[in-house]
Amino acid sequence: MSLIGVEVPDPGPGEVTVAVRAAGVNPFDYKFYSGAFGADPNKLPLRIGLEVSGVVTAVGPDADGPAGPISVGDEVIAQVSGGYATAVNARVGGVVPKPAEVDWKQAAGLISVGGTAVHLLTATGVGPGDTVLVHGAAGSVGALAAQLAVARGARVIGTASPSRHERLRAYGVEPVEYGPGLADRVSALAPNGIDAAIDTVGTDEAVDVSLELVPDRSRIASIVAFGRAATDGFKVLGMGPGADPGTEIRGNAWRELLPLLAAGKLDLAIAKTFPLAEAAAAHEFVMDGHAGGKVILLP
């Protein structure tokens, strides 16, 4: 992985140019060049990065985004292709205003994981009075899903290592350690049962406990356990085989996420930042699966 100088063309119809202040790192970024989606040398070089925050420096014709017209100087959050950059063109359909109360790092890290979290809650119908089990509740997606479920009036039990239990309690989540005996520990906390389960880790333990404790399999959703879903009949979301991409839900998730983040009612933990030139090191940090929050690149 290396930085190369390229000229950013003028934005075309329905495009804007964004001077990048921060870029979010997601697992898809390194999967993109891993060969998981093919290894055609004609597609090289691959431009990586799905989400950025920054300032609009140029607009093309018809530059109306989901929140209205976009102008030069606007501070925005953008879903893009090739966001590991100092500047990038973005389709206006994925460009939304950045609230002044939200810093550049949080803005660059929210939309992808937040959209996934909103999709998980929507797919499982989480609402007031539900008791929800979130596997991986201290991870980027899990922590947002847990907080959003609490905000929607649900009782949330979340699995995490003991070192992260205090953080979950601050979110209003009841923490429980994963590992042998998990089903018994959850049942002790919720003797009246679990209504829905959200899996962000994909382990057999997470799937087995969810199947054991949730009577309605349509209220179990995973973003990773694609193989188990095919055999056990629960929902999978995202881009994997048999999964619901939830394009419309994720595309509109900012409407719920940004007001909460701006009001301080949603915490997006930033695990670490790296200079843009150290993107490879950022990927190594994320790949071990225990970052404990979002990783951000700073141009």
Side-chain angles (χ1 to χ4, degrees), residues 153-193:
R155 177 192 179 192
V156 181
I157 298 170
T159 73
S161 61
S163 64
R164 293 173 177 164
H165 282 191
E166 197 58 37
R167 175 183 161 201
L168 294 186
R169 291 190 185 96
Y171 296 157
V173 176
E174 299 170 56
V176 61
E177 185 177 3
Y178 53 79
L182 175 61
D184 291 337
R185 291 192 293 278
V186 174
S187 295
L189 286 172
N192 293 325

Side-chain angles (χ1 to χ4, degrees), residues 164-252:
R164 293 173 177 164
H165 282 191
E166 197 58 37
R167 175 183 161 201
L168 294 186
R169 291 190 185 96
Y171 296 157
V173 176
E174 299 170 56
V176 61
E177 185 177 3
Y178 53 79
L182 175 61
D184 291 337
R185 291 192 293 278
V186 174
S187 295
L189 286 172
N192 293 325
I194 300 294
D195 298 299
I198 288 169
D199 168 39
T200 70
V201 295
T203 61
D204 283 336
E205 174 187 74
V207 172
D208 291 340
V209 170
S210 298
L211 292 170
E212 179 180 344
L213 299 182
V214 179
D216 183 354
R217 293 191 180 189
S218 73
R219 302 198 71 190
I220 301 172
S222 175
I223 56 172
V224 275
F226 302 108
R228 288 295 303 272
T231 58
D232 292 301
F234 55 88
K235 293 179 177 177
V236 279
L237 313 178
M239 300 303 293
D244 168 18
T247 304
E248 183 174 352
I249 294 170
R250 295 182 186 220
N252 285 291

Side-chain angles (χ1 to χ4, degrees), residues 2-299:
S2 61
L3 291 177
I4 59 173
V6 297
E7 183 177 348
V8 180
D10 292 336
E15 291 184 336
V16 298
T17 302
V18 179
V20 178
R21 296 293 182 86
V25 175
N26 294 287
F28 180 85
D29 296 348
Y30 52 80
K31 292 176 184 176
F32 184 51
Y33 62 76
S34 70
F37 302 98
D40 183 355
N42 293 320
K43 294 183 178 179
L44 296 175
L46 295 173
R47 300 190 64 183
I48 305 168
L50 299 174
E51 55 183 346
V52 302
S53 60
V55 179
V56 175
T57 58
V59 299
D62 302 319
D64 284 0
I70 302 170
S71 303
V72 170
D74 286 352
E75 296 185 352
V76 298
I77 301 168
Q79 295 175 288
V80 298
S81 176
Y84 292 12
T86 56
V88 65
N89 285 343
R91 299 294 302 172
V92 293
V95 179
V96 299
K98 182 189 79 67
E101 301 87 350
V102 177
D103 68 33
W104 297 111
K105 297 186 294 294
Q106 287 187 315
L110 177 67
I111 298 299
S112 181
V113 290
T116 302
V118 170
H119 190 194
L120 283 162
L121 296 182
T122 303
T124 51
V126 171
D130 282 332
T131 299
V132 183
L133 175 62
V134 177
H135 297 281
S140 295
V141 174
L144 290 175
Q147 293 176 77
L148 290 168
V150 170
R152 292 182 179 195
R155 177 192 179 192
V156 181
I157 298 170
T159 73
S161 61
S163 64
R164 293 173 177 164
H165 282 191
E166 197 58 37
R167 175 183 161 201
L168 294 186
R169 291 190 185 96
Y171 296 157
V173 176
E174 299 170 56
V176 61
E177 185 177 3
Y178 53 79
L182 175 61
D184 291 337
R185 291 192 293 278
V186 174
S187 295
L189 286 172
N192 293 325
I194 300 294
D195 298 299
I198 288 169
D199 168 39
T200 70
V201 295
T203 61
D204 283 336
E205 174 187 74
V207 172
D208 291 340
V209 170
S210 298
L211 292 170
E212 179 180 344
L213 299 182
V214 179
D216 183 354
R217 293 191 180 189
S218 73
R219 302 198 71 190
I220 301 172
S222 175
I223 56 172
V224 275
F226 302 108
R228 288 295 303 272
T231 58
D232 292 301
F234 55 88
K235 293 179 177 177
V236 279
L237 313 178
M239 300 303 293
D244 168 18
T247 304
E248 183 174 352
I249 294 170
R250 295 182 186 220
N252 285 291
W254 64 275
R255 300 179 188 275
E256 177 178 0
L257 295 165
L258 288 178
L260 290 171
L261 189 63
K265 297 179 180 180
L266 191 65
D267 176 48
L268 177 69
I270 305 298
K272 195 169 184 179
T273 63
F274 290 83
L276 179 61
E278 296 178 15
H283 284 191
E284 291 176 2
F285 182 73
V286 173
M287 282 178 184
D288 75 359
H290 295 88
K294 284 290 293 193
V295 173
I296 303 295
L297 299 177
L298 300 176

